[in-house]
Amino acid sequence: MEPLPITITSEELNLLIYAYFQDSGFDHSAFALRNESGLDDATIFKTHIARGELINLLGKAMLYMEVEAHWKSDGLRTDCKGAFTLLGRHSCSDEISEGGEDIAQDNAMDLVDSNSISSRLSPPPAQSSFVSSQQPDHPLQRNGATHADANSYPLKDYTLGTYRHLSPTMDSNMKRKISTSPGQGHTEKRARHGSVDMDVDDFPESVHTSQNAHATESAVGGVTDPRPRGAGDFISDPRAVLLLEGHKAEVFVCAFNPRKHNLLASGSKDSVVNLWNLPDPPPWNSSAFASGPPLPLSLENVSRADQGDLTCLTWNSAGTLLAIGSYDTVLRVYTASGDLYFTNPLHEGPIFSTRFSKDDKWLLSGSLDGSTCVWDINEKALYKQYHPHKECCLDIEWIDNNTFASCGADMTICIQRIEDDEPFKRLLGHKDEINQIKVNPSGTRLASCSDDGTACVWKVDNLGRAEDFIPGLSAADSRVVLRGHSHSVSGLGWCVDTSISPTGHEMLVSTSFDGSARLWDSETGSCLAVFTEHRAPVYALTFSPDGKFLATGSGDGWMHIYDLKVRTRIWSWYAGKDKPGVFEIGWQKDEDVDRIAVALECRKVALVDMHKVEQYRDAVQRERRPTALIEPQGSEPRTNV
């Protein structure tokens, strides 16, 4: 039987280019193409296009043409070191130039011998689409390289198979999590506006220098890795870390139930949500180690759509309901026992964030479609939908039980009361997309972080009052700007323990694509410490529930634990060389339980019993002994290397 033809219509091609223009911020070009090509009338116009899909397809085409160019009558040539670029003529070579660049490049437009492909790519007469013969499957890797979602990071170099360099001046708006190791397919976390030429591995020179100075050759899982080992890798018993196997795709999110300490939820790229019933760990002074849980309960009726990647899992404060956000635009809420509580498809774009109000009466959701929704939990129904942003809404947060904040790609933070149709306050000051917002525990200050490389702290306890309209006293005028990162600031967290602050002020931590985390005084804007151990974008951060320790996770496969009182790293754990990314971290501390859950790119969930980590136990004992802070007020921040 002859294979079916592969068709590409002009509408599909126009839609891909339109999506590329939007991703790149070329709004006028996108508008012109949309109108001149009549995309509004196309039946496929509302089809969801993954971020960077055009570049992803070009990458696959390049890899196919690379195989085609190197195929000889006796097989595939594998020793070619010549460059293979999008707009350069390829010439095979066995040599590399002194500068490390492949030789024999020019600016010719043809990629390979045009005669070898013209017969397959020429459109047939009088048709608006072209048909190509069925193409054989070919591996999509060369020398460790991989194609990558254009909105992904780290972005791999197609030719050299190595991480390319990151320049702080380059467009930094590509923020979805993808596979950090060679492989096929997307590992997206959430859609973002941005261009496709982001590079992500040239971190500050001090980071590389300091790490390489004490790097050692050691084995992780039987694989020799030249990167420096983290503190505790050779001391801690490996039985302190359990790897839970129950997912078949990258695990993006995980969350402990706030009331039922045995219940852990985890969600993966393939839309699977697992509920784990964790056994109680042995007492901290026992010589025994925790045992693994039984097979998890997989929730039913969760999306199986191609664009069903999970973006968030959020428990209510009572631990009875779990809200799930997904790329398929559908909001779902389940009970702690795994039963579907209610679902609603109102949003027209991926849902990035969900938040329960503190009194558990309302559920807030934010979406790529630019809207936010408040849902009545008891009625299982929509209370009101809002459209505060001109572009996509990237994060949401409750200020109190009746007031919430949202941020978006339009560089604004909107403050809204649930009964009003419009925001009563807009906070302006960021110069690029705002990625995340966090309100402190007392609800008096709101922190935001942006692609402009800064974080800000806003006073929100006087919003809407008379003093808010007095110059110098309004939230917009009294903001504290936190500067120091050299790339997009992607994450924030408030420290709940002010006793360890040198000034007694609240502290917060920011994480960035520059590979660092920074500890800040929220009132003065002073940087108290810089943590630079990571060698890839930092995806995850969380505090211990008592606020004394910080955990960070990165695409480099490392999770680092820091003692915030002395501001130093005390322990590290490495996820392994194969698909090493650390995507999310949850920390649970309840009576005799002190453990960390880690969502991993390698399709597993790591469960760390912190009572069995000697360095952590020693640090906890030190915390219980009153000591003076190492650095006096006003000293220079410590950079940990």
Side-chain angles (χ1 to χ4, degrees), residues 16 52-62 147-148 158 186:
L16 283 170
E53 185 64 19
L54 178 62
I55 303 303
N56 177 51
L57 294 174
L58 284 173
K60 291 182 178 180
M62 286 180 66
H147 74 275
Y158 295 124
H186 307 286

Side-chain angles (χ1 to χ4, degrees), residues 339-355:
D339 298 320
L340 183 63
Y341 183 71
F342 84 87
T343 182
N344 193 293
L346 178 65
H347 282 297
E348 296 180 355
I351 298 173
F352 291 163
S353 185
T354 57
R355 297 283 190 274

Side-chain angles (χ1 to χ4, degrees), residues 144-196:
T146 178
H147 74 275
D149 181 347
N151 195 46
S152 62
Y153 43 78
L155 181 64
K156 286 283 200 158
D157 187 298
Y158 295 124
T159 305
L160 300 179
T162 57
Y163 291 108
R164 296 191 297 182
H165 295 294
L166 165 68
S167 170
T169 62
M170 301 190 74
D171 195 313
S172 60
N173 295 326
M174 297 168 8
K175 299 187 187 58
R176 286 188 300 184
K177 297 172 184 176
I178 69 152
S179 175
T180 57
S181 55
Q184 300 182 19
H186 307 286
T187 313
E188 304 170 349
K189 174 84 181 224
R190 68 177 187 177
R192 307 302 302 275
H193 286 321
S195 74
V196 299

Side-chain angles (χ1 to χ4, degrees), residues 191 193 352 367-370 389-394 407-410:
H193 286 321
F352 291 163
S367 169
L368 174 66
D369 61 16
H389 297 284
K390 297 179 181 179
E391 299 184 52
C392 56
C393 174
L394 299 180
C407 67
D410 58 1

Side-chain angles (χ1 to χ4, degrees), residues 244-247 262-266 274-278 293-297 605:
L244 310 184
E245 299 183 2
H247 287 283
N262 293 103
L263 193 57
L264 170 68
S266 61
N274 286 335
L275 293 181
W276 305 85
N277 185 16
L278 305 175
L295 291 176
L297 170 66
V605 178

